[in-house]
Amino acid sequence: GFVTSRDEAVVSTQSTGSFDVYEELMSGFTAMDIDRTGKITAQSLRKLANRLEEDLSQAEIDDMISEADKNGNGEITHKEFIAVMLKTNLFRGTSVNTARSDKSDNFP
């Protein structure tokens, strides 16, 4: 898929022993927000898939959006992105700084 945060987290964990979950997730969000609108849309996911030469159907893209889009507006905010990424236990089993990530309502 698109999100390489797991690979980045593993590399970071192996090299430093810990990392800032919030910074890692915001980095992933920024990489996926290719239109720089502060939101991830189906259109931006399609552009990203094309750039990465990923063959995703519209249904797969729509599923990705609906999984994270809690308010149903068809866009993923950074808060929604972080919430769904944490829900997947992406960083489970690593030594992480979660001080900022446990309170997603406090994210800027």
Side-chain angles (χ1 to χ4, degrees):
F2 298 120
V3 182
T4 60
S5 297
R6 176 181 292 254
D7 295 337
E8 292 168 7
V10 170
V11 169
S12 181
T13 300
Q14 290 172 347
S15 65
T16 66
S18 66
F19 60 98
D20 187 325
V21 172
Y22 176 80
E23 293 301 324
E24 290 290 323
L25 292 174
M26 282 305 297
S27 177
F29 178 82
T30 300
M32 295 178 79
D33 178 19
I34 60 174
D35 295 328
R36 302 295 178 242
T37 62
K39 310 224 185 299
I40 300 169
T41 63
Q43 181 181 7
S44 63
L45 285 180
R46 169 62 57 209
K47 287 179 185 178
L48 184 58
N50 290 339
R51 284 184 188 175
L52 297 174
E53 298 179 359
E54 292 281 339
D55 187 24
L56 293 177
S57 69
Q58 189 60 46
E60 290 172 312
I61 290 174
D62 292 343
D63 286 346
M64 293 170 80
I65 294 291
S66 66
E67 175 71 24
D69 179 23
K70 297 305 175 195
N71 66 6
N73 67 353
E75 301 173 330
I76 301 170
T77 65
H78 71 281
K79 288 181 183 181
E80 291 169 324
F81 178 82
I82 289 170
V84 78
M85 295 305 290
L86 291 175
K87 180 179 151 186
T88 65
N89 293 318
L90 192 59
F91 303 104
R92 179 194 242 167
T94 59
S95 172
V96 297
N97 173 4
T98 58
R100 291 185 353 200
S101 63
D102 359 337
K103 298 177 182 158
S104 63
D105 290 341
N106 294 333
F107 291 153

